[in-house]
Amino acid sequence: MTETPETPGTPETPTGPGAGEPPAPPPPPPPPPPPPPPAVSAAGDYPVHLDIDHQEEYTRFMPLIKWLLAIPHYLVLLVLGIGAFFVVIISFFAVLFTGRYPQGMFDYMVGVHRWAFRVIAYTDLMVDPYPPFTLADDPSYPVRFDIDYPEEGVNNWRPLVHWLLVIPYAIAAYLIYYLGRILVFFAFFTILFTKRYPEGMFNIVRISLRWLARASAYENWMVTRYPPFEWD
């Protein structure tokens, strides 16, 4: 019997499962990592919060009479300010000896600040709605103010030195505040003739009030973090 010689170099035909199928595709690349969370500025994370909504249009002749309409609020704030004076004195000793700011006194001081900044925003022509006669927060009103209560307590020594430590920040805050007064003067005429409060001017006035609020809260040891020197 004659054997058939094999042809050299001829590959053997593959047999078995998967014979003749194309190779499996490579696995897909892993998804890209998620973007890092946006950085929170020191001012945005500060425990004193003041926000004022900008209106698209203002009542033309309100700048002429807002100072007059605000007189009842000035009288109430005078009485509230007398109460705040005694609260500051009592809280001075409370913090000095216990390291805690009494919650009720703290809430009263926040309410007085809230009331005052509503009236300031109103007389600065930033909002048209009349301010409410309340110390409590009113989410429907376009001026919102709050200070986070220091749950961790307040160092006993702070009432003794905050009035001194706040001086550099207070100087800057009042300079910015007076810049805001100049812009309010110009806003008087823009509202009178165009019914608009230019948003750039509005933002500067709002920032000036935020600086003022932070200085006041720190001076009265309602917050323990030093206010940030940030334009916000």
Side-chain angles (χ1 to χ4, degrees), residues 183-228:
L183 297 180
V184 170
F185 174 77
F186 288 109
F188 176 93
F189 294 101
T190 63
I191 295 174
L192 200 60
F193 293 108
T194 70
K195 299 198 291 185
R196 297 285 190 275
Y197 201 131
E199 193 163 358
M201 294 169 55
F202 183 94
N203 289 336
I204 294 175
V205 177
R206 179 168 52 192
I207 288 172
S208 75
L209 296 183
R210 285 175 178 164
W211 277 63
L212 195 65
R214 293 172 191 147
S216 179
Y218 186 81
E219 180 184 6
N220 290 292
W221 50 89
M222 300 178 74
V223 294
T224 57
R225 279 174 51 194
Y226 199 78

Side-chain angles (χ1 to χ4, degrees), residues 8-229:
T10 302
E12 296 182 359
T13 302
T15 58
E21 296 180 1
V40 178
S41 67
D45 191 37
Y46 197 68
V48 179
H49 315 283
L50 173 63
D51 201 15
I52 305 171
D53 296 338
H54 179 257
Q55 298 177 203
E56 291 297 324
E57 185 174 287
Y58 290 78
T59 306
R60 188 186 302 275
F61 296 108
M62 286 298 290
L64 299 172
I65 59 173
K66 278 187 175 180
W67 63 272
L68 181 63
L69 298 176
I71 289 178
H73 279 284
Y74 291 143
L75 298 177
V76 175
L77 283 172
L78 178 62
V79 177
L80 293 176
I82 295 172
F85 172 77
F86 289 104
V87 168
V88 168
I89 293 176
I90 298 171
S91 67
F92 177 94
F93 292 103
V95 173
L96 192 64
F97 292 111
T98 69
R100 303 288 299 180
Y101 202 124
Q103 178 85 56
M105 295 183 179
F106 185 91
D107 292 342
Y108 176 81
M109 291 296 293
V110 172
V112 173
H113 280 78
R114 180 182 292 125
W115 197 314
F117 280 106
R118 285 173 183 157
V119 175
I120 292 173
Y122 181 76
T123 55
D124 281 358
L125 317 178
M126 303 178 77
V127 294
D128 276 348
Y130 196 70
F133 284 87
T134 177
L135 294 170
D137 183 34
D138 184 354
S140 65
Y141 193 70
V143 180
R144 294 167 298 280
F145 179 86
D146 201 11
I147 303 176
D148 298 339
Y149 180 73
E151 297 286 352
E152 70 283 358
V154 182
N155 303 99
N156 306 74
W157 52 267
R158 288 188 177 275
L160 299 172
V161 298
H162 265 214
W163 65 272
L164 181 63
L165 297 177
V166 78
I167 289 176
Y169 187 86
I171 292 174
Y174 277 101
L175 289 176
I176 297 172
Y177 177 74
Y178 288 122
L179 169 63
R181 303 310 89 207
I182 296 172
L183 297 180
V184 170
F185 174 77
F186 288 109
F188 176 93
F189 294 101
T190 63
I191 295 174
L192 200 60
F193 293 108
T194 70
K195 299 198 291 185
R196 297 285 190 275
Y197 201 131
E199 193 163 358
M201 294 169 55
F202 183 94
N203 289 336
I204 294 175
V205 177
R206 179 168 52 192
I207 288 172
S208 75
L209 296 183
R210 285 175 178 164
W211 277 63
L212 195 65
R214 293 172 191 147
S216 179
Y218 186 81
E219 180 184 6
N220 290 292
W221 50 89
M222 300 178 74
V223 294
T224 57
R225 279 174 51 194
Y226 199 78
F229 284 88

Side-chain angles (χ1 to χ4, degrees), residues 2-8 10:
T2 306
E3 295 182 358
T4 305
E6 295 181 357
T7 305
T10 302

